Amino acid sequence: MTCGDLFAGIGGMSLGLERAGFTVRWQVEVEPYCENVLARHWPLVHRRRDVRFAGAATLERVDCIAGGFPCQDISSARTRTRRVGLAGRSSGLWSECRRLVGELEPRWLLLENSPEWRRWVPEVRADLARLGYASLPVVVSAGAVGAPHSRPRGFVVAHADADCESLLAVNAETSRLLAVSGQVWPPPPIGNLPLAHGISGRLARARMWQELRALGNAVLPQVVEVIGRAILAVEAAHE
């Protein structure tokens, strides 16, 4: 099966789906630093920079579209941004994702955003229902796949079969990834992220900021891999 990655970042969705068995056909990402990371790891994959100017004329049809659209207007992080949900300038880019789904008509969708699901999941699922998709919401913590921290994230898995049958098996698999609660995680290791030797302090600080920002926005590939494998198992069972 093939997939495309919207708001690809440094490729967490792409990597997870690729590990599951998908073939990545295209990625859409506007941040130059993240673009460079994608180009390094997926040099042959077609890329577009701006989701607002991508469409059926520039992106091939794929079996699954994945995307973690911007969370600034949804996130629970302590920032000065007002939490206006999908009406916000950044998180409102969901409308472009919705447009692309309508144009490309993939069988599957895998969407990711803040675990503050009340701020985005109901509206997203309603939009998908109007497009003919059944959907499954799930919140998964990184700790559920072995990471040494909680980091919960909200996902919506959707399928073009509006009777929901294909989602039942996916639900059975993802339900095993129980959210971690009450777990005391060890403190993060002391020190900076690894940097290449010979870089000046000023450049190192700039690179560090870019790395931390990219990592903070990234999706954990291991979680995506589990969901991707569940999707592929459903497809194989229906062949």
Side-chain angles (χ1 to χ4, degrees):
M1 290 179 65
T2 59
C3 66
D5 194 352
L6 296 173
F7 314 102
I10 57 174
M13 285 279 206
S14 291
L15 181 58
L17 289 174
E18 192 172 69
R19 286 176 175 176
F22 283 81
T23 299
V24 181
R25 292 295 193 191
W26 48 258
Q27 298 161 327
V28 179
E29 175 54 48
V30 70
E31 290 287 343
Y33 176 81
C34 293
E35 275 191 296
N36 290 335
V37 174
L38 295 175
R40 178 180 178 182
H41 294 285
W42 289 275
L44 302 180
V45 170
H46 175 65
R47 266 178 296 282
R48 301 288 298 178
R49 292 202 73 245
D50 197 326
V51 68
R52 296 172 300 174
F53 302 107
T58 57
L59 299 175
E60 70 171 275
R61 291 179 181 269
V62 289
D63 299 306
C64 176
I65 290 181
F69 60 94
C71 68
Q72 287 90 332
D73 303 296
I74 299 170
S75 172
S76 58
R78 296 178 180 178
T79 66
R80 296 179 180 179
T81 305
R82 292 181 58 205
R83 299 299 182 257
V84 293
L86 299 184
R89 179 178 180 181
S90 297
S91 299
L93 286 173
W94 155 248
S95 64
E96 298 296 337
C97 182
R98 179 185 62 207
R99 173 184 60 80
L100 285 168
V101 170
E103 290 184 21
L104 298 176
E105 299 180 328
R107 289 203 307 278
W108 290 91
L109 295 169
L110 178 56
L111 306 171
E112 178 271 346
N113 212 292
S114 165
E116 298 292 332
W117 61 269
R118 291 179 179 84
R119 296 174 178 169
W120 67 278
V121 168
E123 187 172 343
V124 165
R125 294 187 71 200
D127 285 346
L128 293 177
R130 283 188 281 270
L131 291 173
Y133 287 83
S135 61
L136 167 72
V138 59
V139 176
V140 182
S141 288
V145 292
H149 56 285
S150 180
R151 190 178 172 83
R153 285 294 181 270
F155 291 85
V156 169
V157 186
H159 189 266
D161 182 2
D163 65 8
C164 303
E165 181 181 350
S166 295
L167 291 176
L168 295 179
V170 175
N171 183 46
E173 184 63 31
T174 56
S175 64
R176 300 178 188 178
L177 301 179
L178 301 177
V180 176
S181 60
Q183 176 69 54
V184 179
W185 298 107
I190 298 174
N192 294 331
L193 296 175
L195 295 174
H197 294 294
I199 298 178
S200 70
R202 181 178 179 184
L203 287 178
R205 286 192 295 273
R207 179 177 171 183
M208 177 67 68
W209 178 84
Q210 291 176 318
E211 288 181 345
L212 289 174
R213 181 179 180 187
L215 286 171
N217 289 333
V219 180
L220 194 70
Q222 291 92 327
V223 174
V224 177
E225 181 181 355
V226 171
I227 299 174
R229 289 185 183 277
I231 291 173
L232 291 177
V234 170
E235 288 290 318
H238 284 79
E239 287 182 355

